[in-house]
Amino acid sequence: MGIQDIIKGKKEWRAHVARVKALPKDYQIVYKEIQKYLFKVGPVELTEGIDLLSGIVDFFEEGVSLGKDVLEVTGNDVAAFCDELIKDSKTYADIYQESVNKEVNEAIKKSTDKTRE
């Protein structure tokens, strides 16, 4: 990644943040919670760009233009809304589960092999 890519990324992020700040306060609050949720659980590719987050802002801007409250847009269960957004994406939780399962399977295999000796 070159310096130009870094500068471009920062400009895109600043423009994105400005769009979020232009949303009504209730939308901003829900957006920030969604962002935190996605950064904790969320898709591995989220770190590659802001496409998903920009899509959420697009969706929110549409809700604002239609005069909807934020929970009319997302539903009352914001975490479920997030889960639906990333349902087809590989998440950090998936990677961790795979790692745990691999460790368990290897430990059991070693234990079984020692028992047979």
Side-chain angles (χ1 to χ4, degrees), residues 38-73:
L38 292 176
F39 283 154
K40 286 182 182 178
V41 207
V44 175
E45 69 269 6
L46 188 63
T47 58
E48 298 297 319
I50 60 170
D51 292 340
L52 177 61
L53 296 174
S54 290
I56 293 168
V57 175
D58 292 341
F59 189 58
F60 279 11
E61 288 171 339
E62 184 179 332
V64 170
S65 72
L66 295 172
K68 293 184 175 184
D69 291 329
V70 68
L71 294 181
E72 288 180 87
V73 174

Side-chain angles (χ1 to χ4, degrees), residues 45-113:
E45 69 269 6
L46 188 63
T47 58
E48 298 297 319
I50 60 170
D51 292 340
L52 177 61
L53 296 174
S54 290
I56 293 168
V57 175
D58 292 341
F59 189 58
F60 279 11
E61 288 171 339
E62 184 179 332
V64 170
S65 72
L66 295 172
K68 293 184 175 184
D69 291 329
V70 68
L71 294 181
E72 288 180 87
V73 174
T74 61
N76 289 330
D77 189 342
V78 177
F81 172 80
C82 294
D83 289 339
E84 185 65 25
L85 288 175
I86 61 172
K87 70 179 179 186
D88 296 326
S89 301
K90 187 167 187 131
T91 65
Y92 289 108
D94 295 331
I95 292 170
Y96 186 64
Q97 282 179 328
E98 290 168 7
S99 171
V100 168
N101 288 336
K102 182 181 174 187
E103 292 292 324
V104 167
N105 289 332
E106 287 175 2
I108 290 172
K109 186 177 185 255
K110 283 181 185 177
S111 174
T112 304
D113 290 345

